[in-house]
């Protein structure tokens, strides 16, 4: 295109495309080789080993951390199991103690019940005896009243009967 | 915020269009001037050891590579910061490429391939700085890279495999009558490799930069309507950022492919 008029200072020579100006090739090639060698040295001596070390370090750290996490998890599980076991033991112990206490109480209760039953039976027999006495007393009294009344009735009817006969008859009737 | 900024820029563009409109709009576009190799100090002939703008920008490329790969990783953190992340990313990217394409036994050539990749990448990116010089836009540079890879791979192929390396051209899976024909085609394509390998890189970079310059020239000529080419330049610049990386990647992966041929010449 238009390199001929413009910028005549350093573009006077050379074709329209500076890329095809072969006079500059040795310069470019020389500096390119220098550049590539320097970059190669920087990369292969410093940068690449360092990044490689960083990456493997990180991999190691990650592996270690995962192993540590696994270990911690195992330990947590063990702790949980131990806790569960302790809880179960405590429960069993508590049940045993409760059962023991219950049995003791039952024993005391049984004893108290037996004693109470005995007392009740005693009282009941006493009462029965008293009732029997009262009943016997009542029968005697009825007999006496009946005898007297029968004697009085016989006398009032004008008949006479001796006391033994009346007594026998009343006794016979009362019994019947 | 973004919208306000956008409108401020628009107003500035309009004002500058009025204020700095060239008296005589002309198409004084010199898109190739940016590629001129010239001495850094004074004028004169460009000898082999003259310190030129090529020297300067290659030196910047070395600085950039060193800054990223050495300074970026100096603290060797287990949990990396930004710089170290990028350095590790570049390392892993190229390492995996070499391992996947060239195979496990290609890994011993990883430092060389990394050197080529980092140089091309940094030179391309540095070339995108306005008014900089792009060393990878020159055939001389990319041809040295391309032919360097070509000769290295060819010599390596013969050293490692002896005459079996020629099996690369004698395709035993094809029918016998076809083999000589295929051998000729394979031979031609093999020798064209370094040419396409180097011209692809230089051509892409040069074309992109020339287009940027042309559009920038339009901006100077259009005065008030300069914002149209300015937006175009912005868009092309974004594309060039992509091309810078992609060309470095393409050059590197092709190097790996050629290396694979040298290590395992059987198809």
């Amino acid at each position: 295109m238009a390199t001929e008029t413009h910028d005549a200072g350093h573009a006077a020579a050379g074709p329209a495309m500076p890329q095809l100006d072969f006079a500059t090739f040795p310069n470019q090639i020389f500096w390119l080789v220098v550049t590539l060698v320097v970059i190669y040295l920087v990369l292969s001596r410093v940068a690449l080993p360092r990044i490689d070390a960083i990456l493997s370090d990180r991999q190691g750290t990650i592996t270690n951390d995962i192993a540590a996490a696994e270990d911690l998890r195992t330990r947590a599980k063990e702790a949980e199991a131990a806790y569960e076991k302790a809880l179960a033991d405590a429960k069993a112990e508590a049940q045993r103690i409760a059962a023991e206490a219950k049995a003791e109480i039952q024993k005391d209760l049984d004893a108290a019940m037996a004693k109470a039953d005995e007392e009740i039976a005693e009282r009941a027999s006493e009462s029965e005896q008293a009732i029997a006495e009262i009943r016997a007393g009542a029968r005697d009294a009825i007999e006496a009243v009946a005898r007297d009344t029968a004697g009085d009735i016989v006398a009032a009817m004008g008949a006479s009967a001796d006391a033994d006969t009346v007594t026998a008859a009343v006794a016979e009737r009362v019994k019947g | 915020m973004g919208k306000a900024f956008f409108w401020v820029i628009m107003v500035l563009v309009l004002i500058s269009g009025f204020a700095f409109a060239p008296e005589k709009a002309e198409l004084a576009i010199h898109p190739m001037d940016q590629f001129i190799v010239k001495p850094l100090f004074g004028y004169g002939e460009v000898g082999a050891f003259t310190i030129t703008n090529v020297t300067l920008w290659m030196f910047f490329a070395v600085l950039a590579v060193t800054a990223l790969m050495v300074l970026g990783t100096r603290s060797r953190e287990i949990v990396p910061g930004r710089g170290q992340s990028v350095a590790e990313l570049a390392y892993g990217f190229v390492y995996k490429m070499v391992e996947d394409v060239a195979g496990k036994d290609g890994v011993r050539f990883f430092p060389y391939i990394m050197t080529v990749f980092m140089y091309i990448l940094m030179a391309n990116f540095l070339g995108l700085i306005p008014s900089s010089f792009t060393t990878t836009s020159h055939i001389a540079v990319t041809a040295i890279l391309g032919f360097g890879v070509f000769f290295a791979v060819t010599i390596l192929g013969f050293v490692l495999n002896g005459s079996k390396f020629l099996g690369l051209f004698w395709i035993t899976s094809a029918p016998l009558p076809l083999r000589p024909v295929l051998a000729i085609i394979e031979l031609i394509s093999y020798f064209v490799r370094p040419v396409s390998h180097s011209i692809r890189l230089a051509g892409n970079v040069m074309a992109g930069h020339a287009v940027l310059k042309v559009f920038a020239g339009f901006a100077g000529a259009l005065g008030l309507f300069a914002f149209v080419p300015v937006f175009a330049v912005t868009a092309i610049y974004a594309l060039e950022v992509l091309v810078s990386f992609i060309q470095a990647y393409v050059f590197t992966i092709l190097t790996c492919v050629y290396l694979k041929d040298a290590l395992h010449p059987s198809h």
Side-chain angles (χ1 to χ4, degrees):
Chain A
M1 243 169 120
T3 46
E4 67 279 356
T5 55
H6 194 73
D7 213 4
H10 27 221
M17 266 181 80
Q19 277 86 351
L20 299 179
D21 183 0
F22 296 105
T24 64
F25 275 28
N27 182 268
Q28 297 192 50
I29 292 167
F30 170 71
W31 289 114
L32 174 68
V33 171
V34 171
T35 303
L36 289 181
V37 168
V38 172
I39 292 179
Y40 173 74
L41 289 179
V42 167
L43 286 182
S44 64
R45 293 287 152 84
V46 187
L48 299 184
R50 184 188 288 177
I51 294 175
D52 188 45
I54 291 170
L55 291 181
S56 45
D57 257 19
R58 180 173 311 144
Q59 201 52 49
T61 309
I62 289 170
T63 313
N64 282 348
D65 283 2
I66 287 175
E70 198 62 42
D71 186 42
L72 286 177
R73 201 171 68 168
T74 318
R75 274 162 60 185
K77 271 199 176 149
E78 275 168 13
E80 197 192 341
Y83 165 77
E84 292 286 351
K85 191 174 170 295
L87 195 66
D89 282 358
K91 261 187 190 163
E93 180 74 9
Q95 262 166 5
R96 196 182 59 74
I97 290 171
E100 245 171 42
K102 208 171 165 188
E104 209 158 298
I105 289 168
Q106 193 64 46
K107 208 169 74 185
D108 286 357
L109 193 65
D110 285 352
M113 287 279 264
K115 202 174 160 204
D117 278 352
E118 205 173 292
E119 224 161 90
I120 288 166
E122 198 177 322
R123 289 272 178 84
S125 68
E126 260 173 35
S127 303
E128 238 161 65
Q129 205 175 344
I131 289 166
E133 268 170 26
I134 290 166
R135 193 178 274 166
R139 178 175 286 186
D140 285 355
I142 289 169
E143 244 183 76
V145 170
R147 205 161 47 231
D148 289 351
T149 313
D152 286 349
I153 291 169
V154 169
M157 287 171 68
S160 68
D162 62 14
D164 290 343
T165 319
V166 171
T167 304
V170 167
E172 185 72 18
R173 278 307 176 99
V174 168
K175 209 184 280 174
Chain B
M1 180 61 204
K3 250 185 189 165
F5 188 70
F6 173 78
W7 288 113
V8 167
I9 294 291
M10 288 297 286
V11 168
L12 282 179
V13 165
L14 278 179
I15 291 171
S16 65
F18 280 114
F20 306 111
E23 266 118 67
K24 190 164 65 92
E26 55 167 341
L27 276 170
I29 305 169
H30 305 286
M32 305 308 275
D33 280 9
Q34 59 178 322
F35 302 122
I36 294 171
V37 177
K38 54 198 165 207
L40 212 53
F41 309 108
Y43 302 105
E45 288 296 299
V46 176
F49 310 117
T50 314
I51 295 181
T52 56
N53 46 0
V54 176
T55 318
L56 179 71
W57 286 96
M58 282 187 178
F59 175 67
F60 283 153
V62 172
L63 279 190
V65 172
T66 311
L68 176 64
M69 303 303 284
V70 176
L71 295 185
T73 58
R74 71 186 181 286
S75 49
R76 302 161 189 258
E77 286 159 85
I78 290 292
V79 179
R82 262 179 290 182
Q84 195 183 319
S85 285
V86 174
E88 286 173 11
L89 214 62
Y91 180 98
F93 179 70
V94 178
Y95 193 91
K96 199 164 164 0
M97 196 194 301
V98 175
E99 202 175 33
D100 289 352
V101 178
K104 284 268 181 218
D105 45 352
V107 166
R108 62 201 155 115
F109 302 105
F110 164 65
Y112 302 100
I113 293 170
M114 187 72 180
T115 303
V116 170
F117 175 76
M118 289 311 291
Y119 166 68
I120 296 174
L121 188 75
M122 287 307 176
N124 284 352
F125 279 147
L126 286 171
L128 284 173
I129 297 171
S131 80
S132 73
F133 179 83
T134 319
T135 53
T136 40
S137 69
H138 273 266
I139 294 287
V141 169
T142 58
I144 290 300
L145 290 170
F147 278 94
V149 169
F150 175 76
F151 284 119
V153 161
T154 308
I155 292 167
L156 190 72
F158 278 112
V159 167
L160 289 182
N161 306 292
S163 57
K164 264 191 236 153
F165 184 61
L166 293 171
L168 194 60
F169 309 109
W170 197 251
I171 299 153
T172 48
S173 57
L176 191 59
L178 272 179
R179 280 181 210 170
V181 182
L182 284 176
I184 292 169
I185 295 174
E186 287 284 326
L187 210 61
I188 293 172
S189 79
Y190 188 80
F191 282 102
V192 167
R193 271 179 182 183
V195 178
S196 65
H197 200 190
S198 51
I199 289 182
R200 180 184 301 110
L201 174 58
N204 270 288
V205 175
M206 185 190 73
H209 284 68
V211 167
L212 279 175
K213 259 305 200 274
V214 168
F215 274 88
F218 284 161
L222 283 177
L224 184 58
F225 295 101
F227 63 88
V228 177
V230 165
F231 285 137
V233 165
T234 312
I236 295 169
Y237 192 92
L239 187 68
E240 283 308 301
V241 173
L242 202 65
V243 166
S244 291
F245 173 75
I246 287 173
Q247 287 307 320
Y249 170 68
V250 166
F251 195 97
T252 315
I253 202 161
L254 282 176
T255 304
C256 293
V257 170
Y258 301 160
L259 181 63
K260 194 209 87 187
D261 282 347
L263 298 174
H264 316 282
S266 52
H267 273 270

